[in-house]
């Protein structure tokens, strides 16, 4: 009987995000496809080092073992051909990662296969692939390289999100960008009782909330996942956020209304294993302290 990925949190991750392939990427860009192919074949038994998304993937897969049921599926999605992919599979086996599915597109775009595998989140270091995923309606993030203090062993998965244009739609942010802070705050006061529309990462947040509820401890604390909302919003724009999460029946563990101050110090204190934000400036500052993924805007977006 065919298996279904419909009710699972499916993470699609590029081979370069899962493993450190920066040397190989340089060979491909500087010396071409044939030299890259030769290098991979000669080194296919050399185990790759963990990449920017490795620790998070390893921890998410651990949830399946802890629970005794399958919550998470990881699919490696690569522009490699099958011929040059053995080194990736050998490394997956070496690290005992429970990954059995892969898309090897042989240089073609990966975006058409995201819905086929019901991908909830796509992680990559290739901006073109991430942008195509976002344009197709899939939550996706462009990963930054690992900061020096990156945590490889995750006892508790910690994930932090920006609000507008990430968890929530960019509806309100468009007003801020085009009309200014006063118009934004007026709009949010007037619509405080109206839930914000879902953004690209709402589906991921809802999936994490579902998993949390299946790990509830007697004291009410959710483990082994902890979430945080780190938003530039402040009063009076806070009320709509709180009411929206209530309407979604989602309890975020920690919330920070930053009021426009720099997020990186709060993130360093929270110590997330991944932080998702749509603003390049926020991501650039955070990436030196915590693992960061930038969420590109859809290309049809009317402002920048």
């Amino acid at each position: 009987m065919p298996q279904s990925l419909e009710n699972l949190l499916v993470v699609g991750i590029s081979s370069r995000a899962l493993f450190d392939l920066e040397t190989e990427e340089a060979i491909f860009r500087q010396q071409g496809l044939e030299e890259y192919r030769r290098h991979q074949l000669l080194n296919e038994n050399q185990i790759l080092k963990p990449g920017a998304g490795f620790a998070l993937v390893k921890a998410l897969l651990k949830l399946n073992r802890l629970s005794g049921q399958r919550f998470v599926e990881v699919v490696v999605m690569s522009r490699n051909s099958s011929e040059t992919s053995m080194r990736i599979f050998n490394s997956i086996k070496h690290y005992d990662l429970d990954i059995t599915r892969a898309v090897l597109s042989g240089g073609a775009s990966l975006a058409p296969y995201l819905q086929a595998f019901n991908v909830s989140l796509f992680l990559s270091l290739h901006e073109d692939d991430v942008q195509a995923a976002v344009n197709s309606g899939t939550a996706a993030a462009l990963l930054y390289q690992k900061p020096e203090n990156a945590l490889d062993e995750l006892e508790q998965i910690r994930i932090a999100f920006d609000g507008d244009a990430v968890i929530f739609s960019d509806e309100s942010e468009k007003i801020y960008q085009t009309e200014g802070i006063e118009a934004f705050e007026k709009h949010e006061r007037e619509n405080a009782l109206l839930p914000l529309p879902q953004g690209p990462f709402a589906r991921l947040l809802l999936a994490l909330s579902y998993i949390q509820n299946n790990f509830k401890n007697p004291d009410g604390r959710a483990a082994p996942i902890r979430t945080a909302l780190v938003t530039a919003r402040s009063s009076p724009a806070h009320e709509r956020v709180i009411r929206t999460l209530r309407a979604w029946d989602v309890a975020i563990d920690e919330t920070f209304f930053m009021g426009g101050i720099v997020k990186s110090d709060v993130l360093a204190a929270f110590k997330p294993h991944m932080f998702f934000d749509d603003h390049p400036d926020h991501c650039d500052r955070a990436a030196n302290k915590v693992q960061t993924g930038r969420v590109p805007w859809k290309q049809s977006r009317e402002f920048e």
Side-chain angles (χ1 to χ4, degrees):
M1 186 173 179
Q3 297 184 34
S4 173
L5 301 178
E6 185 176 348
N7 295 317
L8 299 177
L9 170 58
V10 182
V11 178
I13 185 167
S14 72
S15 54
R16 186 177 163 215
L18 184 59
F19 298 116
D20 183 348
L21 284 161
E22 295 314 293
T23 297
E24 290 71 19
E25 178 73 6
I27 291 172
F28 173 75
R29 292 190 178 280
Q30 297 169 14
Q31 301 179 47
L33 178 59
E34 186 55 36
E35 186 58 30
Y36 168 83
R37 172 184 172 277
R38 190 182 74 84
H39 174 84
Q40 288 295 72
L41 293 177
L42 286 174
N43 291 279
E44 69 178 27
N45 292 317
Q46 295 295 315
I47 301 303
L48 294 162
K49 294 180 180 179
F54 180 93
L56 182 62
V57 162
K58 182 179 179 181
L60 287 172
L61 288 171
K62 186 179 178 181
L63 293 174
N64 296 332
R65 295 200 304 271
L66 292 174
S67 66
Q69 68 180 99
R70 201 157 192 84
F71 287 112
V72 180
E73 186 74 22
V74 175
V75 181
V76 174
M77 309 191 78
S78 170
R79 292 199 182 202
N80 276 283
S81 65
S82 56
E83 181 187 27
T84 58
S85 66
M86 279 303 299
R87 192 177 183 193
I88 297 165
F89 287 112
N90 288 340
S91 297
I92 288 172
K93 181 178 179 181
H94 171 82
Y95 292 110
D96 194 26
L97 299 177
D98 182 16
I99 300 174
T100 60
R101 293 179 170 88
V103 175
L104 305 170
S105 70
S109 173
L110 297 169
Y113 306 107
L114 296 170
Q115 291 188 5
F117 282 84
N118 195 39
V119 171
S120 308
L121 172 65
F122 177 65
L123 303 173
S124 177
L125 274 74
H126 288 284
E127 188 160 9
D128 289 348
D129 284 336
V130 173
Q131 186 67 64
V134 169
N135 292 344
S136 73
T138 299
L142 179 70
L143 297 191
Y144 287 62
Q145 292 294 350
K146 289 193 300 183
E148 291 183 1
N149 63 341
L151 303 175
D152 290 328
E153 292 298 327
L154 312 186
E155 294 301 323
Q156 182 184 55
I157 305 167
R158 291 181 165 235
I159 302 178
F161 301 88
D162 179 33
D164 294 291
V166 179
I167 292 178
F168 313 120
S169 79
D170 61 5
E171 169 196 277
S172 296
E173 188 167 332
K174 285 182 179 179
I175 295 173
Y176 171 73
Q177 293 286 345
T178 57
E179 301 179 39
I181 185 65
E182 291 184 4
F184 166 77
E185 291 182 348
K186 179 175 182 291
H187 178 268
E188 295 306 284
R189 282 196 301 269
E190 292 174 348
N191 292 277
L193 300 181
L194 182 66
L196 286 154
Q198 291 188 3
F201 276 64
R203 180 184 174 193
L204 174 62
L205 180 63
L206 291 166
L208 292 173
S209 179
Y210 173 79
I211 295 172
Q212 282 180 312
N213 289 333
N214 281 272
F215 280 97
K216 283 287 185 181
N217 292 327
D219 63 2
R221 294 181 180 273
I225 302 174
R226 192 166 184 84
T227 56
L229 170 63
V230 186
T231 173
R233 285 176 178 246
S234 59
S235 177
H238 68 292
E239 182 177 353
R240 195 176 184 194
V241 168
I242 294 171
R243 293 187 180 278
T244 297
L245 294 173
R246 283 182 186 172
W248 294 356
D249 195 25
V250 169
I252 287 186
D253 297 296
E254 301 188 32
T255 305
F256 304 93
F257 293 105
M258 303 298 295
I261 65 175
V262 173
K263 298 180 180 182
S264 54
D265 289 340
V266 163
L267 289 166
F270 178 67
K271 297 180 180 178
H273 300 103
M274 192 68 71
F275 168 56
F276 297 108
D277 199 302
D278 64 307
H279 281 280
D281 288 347
H282 295 166
C283 292
D284 290 344
R285 292 190 182 99
N288 291 325
K289 297 185 177 182
V290 299
Q291 183 62 64
T292 299
R294 179 168 62 82
V295 181
W297 300 322
K298 279 191 175 183
Q299 290 182 334
S300 59
R301 190 178 171 115
E302 297 174 357
F303 66 95
E304 296 184 358

